[in-house]
Amino acid sequence: MPRKCFLIVLLLAISLSLLLFGCGTDQARDDQKPGVAKGGEQQQVDIIRLAGGDWGC
């Protein structure tokens, strides 16, 4: 019985830690948005269009 309680508590602790770490923000990713330079000015974004349409799944 104590082993079962230990496993349940361990599972809950792991789940809670994954939930807390997974909901954090990544400021480095937020600073690197495409099309915006660090100074705030717009950069040119190249768009490549291939013939044949969209054949994705």
Side-chain angles (χ1 to χ4, degrees), residues 1-12:
M1 187 72 173
R3 183 180 173 130
K4 186 177 179 180
C5 290
F6 175 74
L7 290 176
I8 291 173
V9 170
L10 182 64
L11 180 64
L12 288 174

Side-chain angles (χ1 to χ4, degrees), residues 4-42:
K4 186 177 179 180
C5 290
F6 175 74
L7 290 176
I8 291 173
V9 170
L10 182 64
L11 180 64
L12 288 174
I14 291 172
S15 299
L16 181 63
S17 65
L18 288 175
L19 178 70
L20 291 176
F21 290 124
C23 291
T25 61
D26 187 11
Q27 292 181 357
R29 192 178 330 157
D30 291 341
D31 292 340
Q32 298 175 352
K33 291 183 181 175
V36 178
K38 288 188 178 189
E41 67 270 0
Q42 289 284 345

Side-chain angles (χ1 to χ4, degrees), residues 36-57:
V36 178
K38 288 188 178 189
E41 67 270 0
Q42 289 284 345
Q43 294 178 349
Q44 171 120 8
V45 178
D46 295 330
I47 298 175
I48 300 174
R49 298 185 189 266
L50 301 175
D54 185 13
W55 289 87
C57 293

